[in-house]
Amino acid sequence: MQRLLALLVLVIGLALAQAPAYPENTVGVGFGIGRGLVVQGSTGLPFSPLGIDTGLDMEVVVPTSFNALEVWALFKANLLPALTVADLSLSAGLGLDMSFNTVGSIFGVHLGPVASLEIPGGAISGYVGLGIEGGFNLAYGLAGRLYLDPVALEVGLSDRYPFKIALLYLW
């Protein structure tokens, strides 16, 4: 019963995430329902203080009306890269996200945990952060990726869009 409860807590925690906790090199394009075109990419950062993997994920959202722009960046540190849950790999870390929306010139910053659970052929990732964006705010995201090397199909949701689908190229 305790293992089932621990797995349930983990899944609920992952439901508040988005980008993988571990660094990946990707570039892609997608569409966010209610938001518009999403151009995204990620990379591992060249510096690793104390041997910790660090990475950067970025998204640029261009609304279908082309009257605004939103830029989002997530700096992350993979603090616990080698956990296992029921023979599945789990990574957990800390993320700092920053965003800027040209409509109203709103700047936001959030800090919180990032986690990824690798499943056969894919990954489920999550993020939740507390911060400020036009006032006190909660940022969250949940995404699932299906890896078909060298591409991945990503489906996600977050506080920035209710649903997003994207095609990513990985190297």
Side-chain angles (χ1 to χ4, degrees):
M1 185 65 178
Q2 289 177 339
R3 289 183 186 179
L4 184 60
L5 181 60
L7 184 59
L8 180 63
V9 168
L10 174 68
V11 169
I12 290 171
L14 287 176
L16 299 174
Q18 180 178 341
Y22 47 86
E24 286 185 319
N25 292 321
T26 67
V27 65
V29 64
F31 185 78
I33 303 295
R35 297 294 297 166
L37 180 67
V38 178
V39 178
Q40 67 186 75
S42 63
T43 187
L45 296 176
F47 57 92
S48 294
L50 305 173
I52 297 171
D53 289 336
T54 56
L56 169 67
D57 289 13
M58 291 195 67
E59 287 183 359
V60 177
V61 179
V62 181
T64 52
S65 60
F66 296 103
N67 63 351
L69 194 69
E70 182 177 350
V71 179
W72 176 82
L74 173 65
F75 298 93
K76 56 191 174 184
N78 192 6
L79 302 175
L80 302 170
L83 300 173
T84 58
V85 174
D87 295 333
L88 300 173
S89 296
L90 173 70
S91 297
L94 188 63
L96 172 70
D97 86 33
M98 291 184 278
S99 63
F100 181 74
N101 192 334
T102 58
V103 175
S105 297
I106 299 173
F107 177 76
V109 63
H110 303 90
L111 179 68
V114 179
S116 296
L117 180 65
E118 293 183 36
I119 56 175
I124 300 170
S125 301
Y127 168 74
V128 63
L130 292 174
I132 298 172
E133 187 172 353
F136 186 72
N137 190 15
L138 174 71
Y140 61 89
L142 171 65
R145 286 189 180 172
L146 175 61
Y147 292 107
L148 306 165
D149 286 334
V151 296
L153 178 64
E154 180 180 70
V155 176
L157 58 94
S158 76
D159 60 310
R160 296 179 321 280
Y161 40 74
F163 182 78
K164 176 189 81 169
I165 187 162
L167 185 63
L168 306 172
Y169 175 74
L170 297 94
W171 70 93

